[in-house]
Amino acid sequence: MAMLAALAAGGWAWWWLHQPLKLPAASVDLSVEPGTTPRGVAQAVADTGVAVDPRLLYAWFRLSGQDRQIRAGSYEMDAGVTPRGLLEILVRGREATRSLVLVEGWNIRQVRAALAKAEMLKPETATLSDDALMARLGRPGQHPEGRFFPDTYTYSKNSTDLAVLQRAMRAMDRKLEAAWAARAPDLPLKSLEEALILASIVEKETGKASDRAEVAGVFVNRLRVGMPLQTDPTVIYGLGAAFDGNLRKRDLQADTPWNTYTRAGLPPTPIAMPGKASLLAAVQPARTRALYFVARGDGTSQFSETLDAHNRAVNKYQRGGQ
C-alpha cells in the first residue's frame, strides 16, 4: 500500500509539473526583486492571480535543488507555462524583453519621440531639456545631436530610457573612435568631432549606399579649397520644426549656424545620427576631383568636377532637360 501511495504521489507530481498553470490573462507580468527568497517568489507568482498554491510551488522549487539559483528580474508568464517551465525561466533569467530601433539619419527629436513611445521603458528623460539630458548622461555642455549610435537595442521590461541612451552613446563613442583610428592620412578634419559632423551630413545626403564615399569625397574637396559645403540637409536642420517639407530660396539665404550656404566650413554640430558606413565614408572618402553632385531621382547621384558640368546635370536630372 505504501509503495502504491508513493507511486501515485510521484505520478501526480509528474503530472502537475507538466500541467499548464491557470493564468488570469494570456500573459502575466512577474517581478522578482533582488533578495527575494524562493518562498517569496512562489508567493509573488500566486499574487499575480495565477491559480497555484504557493506552498506547493515553493516545495517544487526546493525539491528541484535550484531554488537558490532563481534570479531577480522582470518576467512574463505566458499561456501554457508549466511549473517546470516557470522554474527554468526563473533560473536561466529569461527576462521579458522589448526592443527599440534607432534609425540611421534620425535627429534627436526623433530619437526622443521613439523613446517616449517605447513599450515598458521608464521615461526618466521625458521632462528633461536636451542640456539636462546630456548632463544626466555625464556630458554636460555637449550637444545631443548625433551622439547615439543607430541600432536595435534590446532592454528588459521596466528599464529606463536613460539606460538605453547610455548604451547608444557608448556605442557611438566606440564606432567613432574606431573610424577615426582608420582615417585617411591627409584629411582636412582636425578631430573626432569634425568627423562625426561630416558623417552626419553624408548620412543625410546619401540615397544610395555605394555613393557614400563619393559624397564624402566631394565635401572633403570643398573643405580643402575653402568652398562652402552648400548642403541642403544642414539648412533644413537649422530651420528645425519650422521646416514644412518645402525648401525655398529664402531658406537658403536665411542665416543660421547650420546654414552651409551662408557660412563656411562644417556646421557647429552633427545634424543626425550617422551609421557605421557613413562614419567610415567620412574618414575614408573616395579620391575624386568632383566638387558637385546632384540627385538623379533614382536614389543615386551624378558627380561633376566643374560648375558647367554640374549645371548640365542639374538641368537634366532636376529640370527635365537634355
Side-chain angles (χ1 to χ4, degrees):
M1 292 293 291
M3 183 178 295
L4 288 174
L7 288 172
W12 182 88
W14 186 93
W15 174 86
W16 179 80
L17 287 174
H18 294 82
Q19 276 294 107
L21 293 166
K22 294 182 179 179
L23 309 183
S27 181
V28 177
D29 292 333
L30 172 66
S31 179
V32 177
E33 300 298 329
T36 305
T37 64
R39 188 188 298 275
V41 174
Q43 186 60 56
V45 173
D47 289 344
T48 65
V50 175
V52 64
D53 186 335
R55 295 169 298 181
L56 186 59
L57 193 57
Y58 170 60
W60 157 233
F61 291 166
R62 289 292 304 276
L63 289 172
S64 72
Q66 297 179 293
D67 55 314
R68 295 296 175 182
Q69 298 175 37
I70 293 175
R71 304 181 186 183
S74 297
Y75 301 95
E76 279 182 344
M77 295 180 288
D78 295 322
V81 68
T82 64
R84 185 186 184 96
L86 174 59
L87 180 59
E88 183 179 357
I89 290 171
L90 296 173
V91 168
R92 294 193 178 185
R94 292 178 181 168
E95 292 192 72
T97 60
R98 297 292 186 270
S99 62
L100 172 69
V101 179
L102 300 183
V103 180
E104 295 173 351
W106 272 6
N107 60 37
I108 188 62
R109 294 194 307 274
Q110 292 169 302
V111 170
R112 300 195 69 169
L115 289 171
K117 295 177 182 177
E119 185 180 5
M120 299 294 180
L121 193 62
K122 291 182 179 177
E124 283 193 3
T125 69
T127 60
L128 299 179
S129 66
D130 286 350
D131 288 343
L133 170 63
M134 295 307 291
R136 286 287 302 276
L137 289 169
R139 303 284 178 86
Q142 189 176 71
H143 197 278
E145 198 65 74
R147 306 297 170 181
F148 308 103
F149 187 70
D151 204 347
T152 298
Y153 295 91
T154 301
Y155 58 89
S156 300
K157 290 174 66 175
N158 298 319
S159 295
T160 67
D161 55 0
L162 187 67
V164 173
L165 283 179
Q166 286 174 329
R167 289 168 56 199
M169 185 177 69
R170 289 194 294 267
M172 180 58 84
D173 289 343
R174 292 192 299 270
K175 300 293 185 182
L176 179 58
E177 288 168 5
W180 185 248
R183 68 191 182 276
D186 56 347
L187 282 182
L189 303 175
K190 303 181 182 66
S191 64
L192 281 82
E193 178 74 8
E194 291 190 352
L196 181 61
I197 294 171
L198 179 56
S200 74
I201 297 173
V202 171
E203 186 69 59
K204 296 299 290 185
E205 276 282 18
T206 313
K208 189 77 169 178
S210 58
D211 283 349
R212 283 195 182 97
E214 193 85 8
V215 168
V218 168
F219 289 131
V220 165
N221 287 344
R222 289 188 172 197
L223 288 172
R224 283 196 178 109
V225 301
M227 181 178 174
L229 296 185
Q230 295 184 327
T231 168
D232 292 354
T234 62
V235 177
I236 292 170
Y237 183 81
L239 293 174
F243 180 61
D244 62 3
N246 185 19
L247 192 64
R248 302 170 178 84
K249 183 177 180 179
R250 67 170 181 267
D251 297 324
L252 301 179
Q253 297 171 341
D255 184 54
T256 74
W258 291 273
N259 189 332
T260 52
Y261 284 83
T262 61
R263 301 196 183 196
L266 293 166
T269 73
I271 61 171
M273 293 188 302
K276 180 180 178 180
S278 292
L279 288 170
L280 289 174
V283 297
Q284 297 175 0
R287 294 191 175 277
T288 175
R289 297 176 62 182
L291 285 169
Y292 307 90
F293 65 93
V294 64
R296 291 193 180 106
D298 61 357
T300 65
S301 297
Q302 176 68 37
F303 297 90
S304 304
E305 296 181 14
T306 67
L307 182 58
D308 285 344
H310 174 64
N311 287 337
R312 289 195 297 271
V314 170
N315 186 57
K316 177 178 180 179
Y317 294 110
Q318 299 290 310
R319 297 171 184 157
Q322 296 298 321

